[in-house]
């Protein structure tokens, strides 16, 4: 019950129980997350889940210049300036 009270996910709580020695193993359909990897080691996956993002485009053609600008749309010009300054 102690690990379950510490974590909102019962899966992460089970991984924590293995990490602290309450259990020897935990068998289940776990997703290996970075938080859980910090707690204990995992065996290689028996199977994996693949997720795909499908986005439908509205009709119409886009210009070559518009396609070149698309990767830069998530941030404003000022944000890109701060990113460049931090990288350099």
């Amino acid at each position: 019950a102690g690990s379950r009270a510490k974590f909102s996910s019962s899966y992460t709580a089970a991984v924590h129980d293995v990490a602290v020695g309450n259990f020897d193993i935990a068998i289940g359909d776990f997703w290996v997350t970075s938080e859980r990897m910090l707690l204990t080691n995992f065996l290689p996956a028996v199977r994996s889940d693949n997720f795909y993002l499908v986005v439908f485009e509205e009709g119409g053609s886009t210009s070559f210049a518009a396609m070149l600008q698309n990767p830069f749309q998530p941030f404003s010009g000022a944000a890109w300036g701060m990113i460049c300054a931090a990288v350099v």
Side-chain angles (χ1 to χ4, degrees), residues 13-79:
V15 171
H16 181 262
D17 281 332
V18 172
V20 296
N22 292 339
F23 300 126
D24 291 329
I25 62 171
I27 299 173
D29 196 12
F30 292 87
W31 282 356
V32 180
T33 63
S34 57
E35 177 186 16
R36 294 175 189 159
M37 288 285 289
L38 292 173
L39 295 174
T40 191
N41 295 322
F42 285 82
L43 291 173
V46 174
R47 69 176 186 89
S48 63
D49 295 323
N50 295 318
F51 293 92
Y52 299 96
L53 176 64
V54 178
V55 179
F56 296 101
E57 279 189 48
E58 295 181 12
S61 62
T62 56
S63 68
F64 183 70
M67 286 191 306
L68 289 177
Q69 291 174 348
N70 279 340
F72 302 102
Q73 294 295 325
F75 300 111
S76 67

Side-chain angles (χ1 to χ4, degrees), residues 1-17 20 22-23 35:
S3 292
R4 186 63 179 111
K6 292 179 184 178
F7 300 98
S8 61
S9 166
S10 60
Y11 293 102
T12 304
V15 171
H16 181 262
D17 281 332
V20 296
N22 292 339
F23 300 126
E35 177 186 16

